[in-house]
């Protein structure tokens, strides 16, 4: 957005933040021209894949969780089930991350009701902060917690990339009805992500 606005100096944008399913609904209804989402559900919208995002189990870096995570291995279900017995923090049902994570957990035979969910959050940022503060563990985007992990504030359990990798998309309903400046932004964004990633 920053690069686009530098090239289009007289442009003003109005931005909002919401869960993926809410953004998809609003794009479909026409109250938003475009959106960025982490799941793909609505066939009436056009989805442009931008980048892959790996989901990980994130935990506070405490002795308790260090001990739990020390037993991790790549063997799958039994280790994952042991980790998921601890307090789990979830996003609300409209979150693209939560939708993708729950779908991926089914690969291991784990359903939502198997999780020890103690709190649900509207905001991914609030959820991340509560993980860091020691409230419990969650499945989060690695990109979102990378700096906290690298600085030693959050532990991660790397989940199988094939099952826990999602696409991030730019979406819109019908390009022919979009303002010209919005069309330019869509094409700029596609080119930017192809060049950078």
């Amino acid at each position: 957005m920053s690069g686009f606005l530098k090239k289009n100096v007289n442009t003003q944008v109005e931005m909002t933040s919401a869960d993926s399913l809410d953004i998809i609904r609003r794009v479909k209804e026409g109250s938003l021209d475009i959106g960025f989402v982490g799941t793909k559900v609505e066939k009436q919208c056009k989805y442009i894949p931008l980048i892959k995002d790996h989901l990980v189990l994130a935990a506070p870096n405490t002795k308790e969780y260090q001990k739990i995570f020390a037993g991790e291995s790549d063997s799958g279900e039994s280790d994952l089930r042991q980790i998921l017995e601890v307090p789990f923090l979830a996003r609300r049902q409209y979150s693209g991350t939560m939708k993708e994570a729950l779908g991926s957990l089914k690969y291991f035979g784990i359903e939502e009701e198997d999780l020890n969910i103690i709190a649900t959050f509207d905001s991914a940022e609030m959820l991340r902060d509560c993980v860091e503060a020691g409230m419990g563990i969650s499945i989060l985007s690695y990109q979102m917690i990378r700096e906290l992990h690298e600085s030693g504030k959050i532990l991660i359990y790397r989940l199988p990339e094939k099952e826990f990798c999602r696409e991030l998309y730019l979406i819109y309903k019908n390009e022919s009805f979009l303002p010209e400046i919005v069309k330019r932004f869509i094409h700029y964004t596609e080119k930017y992500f192809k060049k950078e990633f």
Side-chain angles (χ1 to χ4, degrees), residues 24 27-28 42-47 171-174:
I24 292 168
V27 169
K28 181 182 125 180
E42 180 54 63
K43 293 180 180 176
Q44 294 177 2
C45 294
K46 167 83 173 169
Y47 290 78
I171 67 165
Y172 57 91
K173 187 176 179 185
N174 189 332

Side-chain angles (χ1 to χ4, degrees), residues 66-127:
Q66 287 170 9
K67 186 176 178 182
I68 293 169
F69 276 40
E72 73 181 46
S73 74
D74 296 324
S75 61
E77 185 176 331
S78 60
D79 300 308
L80 192 58
R81 279 191 174 278
Q82 180 183 358
I83 288 171
L84 293 179
E85 288 173 3
V86 299
F88 191 87
L89 312 179
R91 287 286 305 281
R92 68 182 184 131
Q93 61 179 339
Y94 302 114
S95 158
T97 302
M98 195 63 190
K99 179 181 178 296
E100 296 296 320
L102 290 174
S104 297
L105 285 173
K106 288 182 181 180
Y107 174 84
F108 296 98
I110 298 171
E111 299 290 337
E112 183 175 359
E113 55 269 20
D114 297 328
L115 302 174
N116 180 20
I117 297 175
I118 63 163
T120 305
F121 298 83
D122 287 339
S123 157
E125 291 76 15
M126 189 188 310
L127 191 156

